[in-house]
């Protein structure tokens, strides 16, 4: 992309907004409906639903920031503060959503695996501390570039060519390195490696492991119920057993679809991060 071709950059931004804004609007509306439903129904005001409400708020904020995430791949002329906000804020919302997702899965996992100790779970006894845990660390980590862990003043940024794209400098193109905003200037490679392999991948693997464990326990309980029905029905499968099998199948499909929907944005951001590293 030519550096002086502002029209090409503008067309790319219009294309990004045309694709992401409808998806962002659907995410925001869906989360708002559920949030209002929980807030208006006092019977749903309990600790598990509060965790779910925190996840919905994080998902809603991620939907708000969704149109700006692809813009992080474009090189634009922004001031230092504006460039940091454009990169740090979406990254914070994504990490907060991911950690809220892990917390909700962990709460459900303990409820199923250790139901006798569920009421004594530390998250229930110290709910504000649990909320602080899922929001404060993402904010602190995402803000590290603002505290100096960045490439903004690196001597390698001698011109716009150092940003990794084949730019054709023209007479009306500013080469002032204080105005060339790129993710490579905000996020060092070490920061990206630590986030992808130290935070994102372990969180996704943890969610997958807990979901697999829950499904395995559910399958074992279903087999036990089926054996009891066979003993009652003298070895023949009853209609109730078939309904249980059908219900379990629907449960597996629902969990798989929900897992794919919730990790779609995580996979997209991870792919962008891999491209950044490359």
């Amino acid at each position: 992309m030519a550096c002086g071709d502002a029209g090409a950059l503008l067309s790319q931004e219009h294309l990004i907004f045309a694709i992401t804004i409808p998806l962002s609007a659907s995410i925001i509306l869906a989360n708002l409906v559920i949030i209002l439903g929980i807030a208006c129904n006092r019977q749903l005001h309990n600790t598990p639903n509060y965790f779910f409400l925190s996840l919905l708020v994080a998902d809603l904020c991620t939907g708000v920031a969704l149109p700006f995430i692809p813009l992080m791949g474009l090189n634009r002329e922004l001031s230092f503060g504006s460039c940091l906000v454009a990169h740090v804020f979406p990254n914070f919302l994504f990490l907060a959503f991911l950690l809220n997702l892990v917390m909700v899965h962990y709460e459900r996992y303990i409820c199923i695996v250790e139901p006798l100790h569920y009421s004594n779970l530390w998250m229930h006894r110290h709910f504000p501390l649990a909320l602080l845990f899922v929001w404060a660390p993402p904010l602190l980590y995402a803000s590290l570039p603002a505290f100096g862990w960045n490439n903004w003043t690196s001597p390698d940024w001698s011109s716009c060519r150092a940003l990794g794209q084949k730019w054709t400098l023209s007479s009306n193109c500013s080469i002032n390195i204080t105005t060339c905003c790129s993710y490579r200037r905000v996020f060092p490679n070490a920061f990206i490696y630590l986030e992808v392999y130290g935070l994102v991948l372990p969180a996704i693997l943890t969610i997958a492991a807990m979901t697999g464990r829950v499904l395995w326990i559910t399958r074992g309980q279903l087999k036990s119920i089926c054996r009891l029905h066979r003993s009652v029905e003298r070895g023949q499968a009853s209609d109730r057993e078939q309904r249980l099998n059908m219900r379990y199948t629907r449960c597996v499909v629902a969990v798989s679809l929900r897992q794919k929907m919730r990790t779609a944005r995580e996979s997209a951001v991870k792919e962008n991060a891999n491209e950044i590293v490359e």
Side-chain angles (χ1 to χ4, degrees):
M1 180 182 65
C3 185
D5 192 2
L9 179 61
L10 189 61
S11 64
Q12 287 187 356
E13 292 182 356
H14 287 167
L15 180 61
I16 289 173
F17 286 133
I19 295 175
T20 57
I21 285 181
L23 179 60
S24 175
S26 62
I27 293 173
I28 294 172
L29 291 177
N31 283 282
L32 278 178
V33 170
I34 303 176
I35 289 173
L36 291 176
I38 295 177
C40 296
N41 191 346
R42 293 186 178 181
Q43 295 181 353
L44 299 178
H45 291 182
N46 51 53
T47 302
N49 285 328
Y50 288 154
F51 284 115
F52 187 61
L53 188 63
S54 177
L55 174 63
L56 292 174
V57 172
D59 195 16
L60 185 147
C61 294
T62 305
V64 173
L66 183 61
F68 303 98
I69 293 178
L71 294 178
M72 296 168 64
L74 301 180
N75 295 315
R76 296 167 292 168
E77 292 191 358
L78 296 174
S79 64
F80 175 69
S82 300
C83 188
L84 282 177
V85 172
H87 290 78
V88 169
F89 189 64
N91 192 38
F92 155 64
L93 294 179
F94 165 72
L95 292 177
F97 168 76
L98 185 63
L99 203 56
N100 272 278
L101 192 61
V102 173
M103 183 66 73
V104 169
H105 277 79
Y106 176 72
E107 192 267 342
R108 291 289 88 192
Y109 173 79
I110 296 298
C111 177
I112 296 175
V113 175
E114 299 181 3
L116 298 180
H117 301 284
Y118 178 73
S119 59
N120 296 325
L121 194 63
W122 70 271
M123 296 185 300
H124 291 187
R125 292 183 285 107
H126 306 286
F127 176 71
L129 180 62
L131 285 184
L132 183 65
F133 175 76
V134 297
W135 286 97
L139 178 60
L140 292 176
Y141 183 81
S143 301
L144 288 179
F147 292 104
W149 196 9
N150 56 63
N151 289 328
W152 194 265
T153 59
S154 175
D156 296 335
W157 306 119
S158 57
S159 67
C160 290
R161 294 180 183 273
L163 297 180
Q165 291 189 1
K166 297 179 180 179
W167 283 15
T168 303
L169 299 178
S170 60
S171 58
N172 60 347
C173 174
S174 171
I175 60 174
N176 184 1
I177 64 173
T178 60
T179 59
C180 287
C181 177
S182 170
Y183 54 77
R184 292 183 181 274
R185 301 192 67 186
V186 177
F187 300 130
N189 287 340
F191 180 91
I192 297 170
Y193 275 117
L194 180 59
E195 178 171 336
V196 173
Y197 298 106
L199 297 176
V200 177
L201 286 181
I204 295 175
L205 292 177
T206 301
I207 293 173
M210 289 188 293
T211 303
R213 176 63 175 166
V214 168
L215 292 177
W216 181 265
I217 293 175
T218 305
R219 183 61 179 174
Q221 294 176 350
L222 179 62
K223 288 183 178 179
S224 300
I225 295 173
C226 291
R227 284 196 296 268
L228 292 176
H229 280 289
R230 289 193 186 100
S231 63
V232 173
E233 300 293 335
R234 296 182 179 180
Q236 295 182 358
S238 62
D239 293 337
R240 183 175 299 179
E241 179 181 344
Q242 294 177 359
R243 289 196 300 270
L244 287 173
N245 287 325
M246 184 61 66
R247 183 178 300 176
Y248 174 76
T249 303
R250 290 197 299 267
C251 177
V252 172
V253 172
V255 170
S256 301
L257 291 177
R258 183 168 53 187
Q259 189 72 14
K260 291 179 181 179
M261 292 175 62
R262 286 183 175 178
T263 57
R265 287 184 296 277
E266 302 170 10
S267 301
V269 175
K270 185 178 73 173
E271 291 175 0
N272 291 334
N274 292 331
E275 294 177 0
I276 293 173
V277 174
E278 294 175 357

